[in-house]
Amino acid sequence: MLSARKKILKRILQVLLIVVIFYFLVKNLYVNWGKIAEYDWNINYYFLTYSFVLLITGAILMALGWNLILRMLGGRLGYKKALKIFFITDLGKYIPGKVWTLVGKVYLCAKEGIPIAKTSASVVIQPLIQVISGMLMFLVSLPFWTKTSDFMNNLYLLLPLIPIGLILLHPAIMTKLLNFVLTRLKQKPIELNIKYRDILLI
């Protein structure tokens, strides 16, 4: 009887969560509808399809990248399960608060037997790698830009950020930063079993 009630409560919470997500999606659409209606739409369906394919491919690669990081931390998820958890929890970014994606991943991964600290670490490491790698790619691409301006020329002053970014990506540095955060959150420190070359390949 108690188990049946838990299942019913779980189903109600799932439906409620979906309703909340779609509420904020519709709300954002309604608030910005004026800008959408005023925009001069000229749709190129070829590029639209191409962009959609790239969007889906990029999202899948991000999910697999997160799963790879989680595996390196000692968390084991099958690829299908990882994709499911990643895309379900990614909907949490549409809910105000900015923490629901993390909360969702921690909750669903905990049900798979993965410690909270490891899941939290994976969620922190992934955007850190994305930001630093994106910054590095941008700086490296600067010489190939055809149109320059004073602002663009001044961006070369950011070149020292390349070695700084590479240093921050080192497992020893990331371990110290993550454990500092985890201790503040009263979680057990972890050891990153990740090689530096593996991080650079993610």
Side-chain angles (χ1 to χ4, degrees), residues 3 39 63 76 82 86 141 170 186 200:
S3 178
Y39 188 80
R76 292 293 175 182
F86 184 88
S141 69
H170 195 280
K186 297 181 180 180
L200 297 178

Side-chain angles (χ1 to χ4, degrees), residues 20-79:
V20 170
I21 291 173
F22 276 95
Y23 166 76
F24 284 106
L25 283 173
V26 173
K27 180 182 177 182
N28 288 331
L29 183 63
Y30 175 78
V31 171
N32 295 287
W33 184 253
K35 296 179 180 179
I36 296 174
E38 292 175 359
Y39 188 80
D40 185 17
W41 294 96
N42 185 14
I43 300 176
N44 185 315
Y45 290 98
Y46 171 77
F47 286 114
L48 179 63
T49 303
Y50 183 64
S51 300
F52 181 76
V53 172
L54 288 179
L55 176 65
I56 298 299
T57 303
I60 292 175
L61 290 176
M62 286 180 61
L64 294 178
W66 168 70
N67 188 35
L68 178 60
I69 294 171
L70 189 61
R71 283 172 172 265
M72 290 179 176
L73 293 171
R76 292 293 175 182
L77 278 180
Y79 291 109

Side-chain angles (χ1 to χ4, degrees), residues 17 85 88-90 92-93 95-111 116 119-120 123:
L17 180 61
I85 291 177
I88 289 176
T89 57
D90 199 47
K93 65 185 180 183
I95 303 176
K98 307 296 184 181
V99 298
W100 300 109
T101 298
L102 170 61
V103 172
K105 281 188 173 66
V106 167
Y107 172 74
L108 293 177
C109 287
K111 292 179 65 176
I116 294 176
T119 305
S120 301
V123 175

